[in-house]
Amino acid sequence: MERIPILQMGDFLLVTIQVDMHDQLALTLQDDLSERISKTSARGVLIDISALDMVDSFIGRMIGMISGLSRIMDAETVLVGMQPAVAITLVELGMTLPGVSTALNVERGMALLRERAYSQ
Amino acid sequence: MNVCSSGTQGIHIEQDVVLARQMARKLAQDRGMRLIDLTKLVTAVSELARNTMVYGGGGDMDWEIIEDGARTGLKLTFRDEGPGIPDLKLAMTDGWTSGGGLGLGLTGAKRLVDDFELDTAPGAGTRVTIYKWT
Ligand SMILES: Nc1ncnc2c1ncn2[C@@H]1O[C@H](COP(=O)(O)OP(=O)(O)O)[C@@H](O)[C@H]1O
Ligand SMILES: [Mg+2]
């Protein structure tokens, strides 16, 4: 079965979404990620969407769910690399992604995660 | 309004939603649509194609390249012979979903395109037509 890889970087997990995602793949990612968070006791999850040329309400909902799930498991989620055209479209679509932090790129996202995870 | 070319993309399985998006992107790109409008169009297509598959039980996306005076654009029609939408006003409310969605597909798609027509009746299927000019 096709899967989106999850990389471990220290206390954090990095998910790079690269394919034109269809629904089943999105749901599998959600399951995989929750399992990995619990197995590795990760403190944070970085979702890199710089390769995505659109984010619809399905993917948006999934991002929101991952973020909520991470919070319950005591991990932070930061969304990185959203393309400007995608961001503008998301606003017009009416999706606000409440509670999801964003950063410009992976590097800044990691910095943000470190700050959050170790300031508690 | 002049139709320059046309075709149909079936929407029956999940992968077809991806194909519908790719088809719309290619058609719009070939006509020189700018990135921001392209992104809006493809996002609307994703929402409507998913509705066709999930709620309509599958159907088709008809595409047409149209000319109207000096403008060129894309006309896309998503049609299915599913249950139809019993309460259109409710369905066109931000945040309303009969399933587990966010309820932003129809309303969001409408905001993302230049023109939006919805034709549905209980038991008579659903037809959504969108226009985006380049
Ligand atoms: N093609 C369709 N056939 C039947 N019902 C539909 C169709 N498209 C949309 N609907 C109805 O309209 C509601 C709102 O759709 P939408 O705005 O896309 O939100 P969501 O998909 O998140 O539920 C759906 O929950 C469904 O009840
Ligand atoms: Mg929908």
Side-chain angles (χ1 to χ4, degrees):
Chain A
M1 197 166 117
E2 204 183 352
R3 276 196 141 83
I4 296 170
I6 301 169
L7 294 181
Q8 187 162 3
M9 299 171 75
D11 285 344
F12 306 118
L13 299 175
L14 174 67
V15 182
T16 304
I17 300 173
Q18 273 172 330
V19 290
D20 206 343
M21 194 149 57
H22 56 81
D23 301 10
Q24 191 51 51
L25 201 57
L27 293 172
T28 309
L29 171 64
Q30 203 171 290
D31 289 349
D32 285 355
L33 203 53
S34 57
E35 198 187 303
R36 285 290 290 275
I37 295 174
S38 82
K39 221 186 257 170
T40 62
S41 315
R43 303 297 307 273
V45 178
L46 219 62
I47 306 175
D48 182 7
I49 59 163
S50 55
L52 284 191
D53 50 27
M54 70 107 227
V55 171
D56 61 6
S57 69
F58 181 86
I59 298 177
R61 186 166 69 103
M62 190 205 49
I63 290 168
M65 281 168 86
I66 290 172
S67 159
L69 190 94
S70 305
R71 208 170 306 130
I72 292 169
M73 299 174 83
D74 200 25
E76 303 272 346
T77 305
V78 174
L79 194 62
V80 300
M82 191 187 292
Q83 293 173 17
V86 172
I88 292 166
T89 301
L90 268 185
V91 173
E92 208 152 314
L93 189 61
M95 213 160 31
T96 50
L97 295 176
V100 180
S101 308
T102 55
L104 223 49
N105 52 39
V106 172
E107 213 167 63
R108 290 205 195 177
M110 285 291 272
L112 185 63
L113 275 183
R114 260 185 222 112
E115 209 179 284
R116 295 256 178 92
Y118 302 120
S119 68
Q120 294 161 4
Chain B
M1 213 146 40
N2 234 350
V3 179
C4 307
S5 54
S6 62
T8 295
Q9 164 73 51
I11 304 169
H12 303 284
I13 56 168
E14 251 168 40
Q15 195 57 38
D16 292 338
V17 176
V18 176
L19 291 179
R21 282 204 299 259
Q22 286 170 351
M23 169 77 83
R25 177 177 295 277
K26 170 130 193 16
L27 289 168
Q29 226 160 20
D30 287 351
R31 265 88 208 160
M33 192 179 286
R34 62 194 193 111
L35 180 64
I36 177 70
D37 285 324
L38 198 70
T39 307
K40 289 179 183 181
L41 174 71
V42 171
T43 307
V45 166
S46 191
E47 296 293 346
L48 298 174
R50 178 163 295 114
N51 281 354
T52 299
M53 185 194 78
V54 174
Y55 301 114
D60 289 299
M61 176 184 83
D62 297 328
W63 60 265
E64 283 178 10
I65 304 297
I66 49 173
E67 264 174 13
D68 184 19
R71 345 184 256 183
T72 306
L74 228 70
K75 174 187 177 187
L76 302 173
T77 304
F78 299 82
R79 50 184 173 80
D80 64 67
E81 267 141 44
I85 304 175
D87 189 338
L88 200 53
K89 210 166 159 203
L90 197 59
M92 286 306 292
T93 305
D94 266 333
W96 188 82
T97 177
S98 68
L102 289 179
L104 292 174
L106 289 174
T107 49
K110 186 178 179 184
R111 283 189 288 268
L112 292 171
V113 298
D114 296 321
D115 250 306
F116 179 97
E117 292 159 8
L118 208 167
D119 192 11
T120 182
T126 300
R127 174 187 292 256
V128 183
T129 306
I130 57 173
Y131 297 80
K132 192 87 177 165
W133 301 101
T134 57

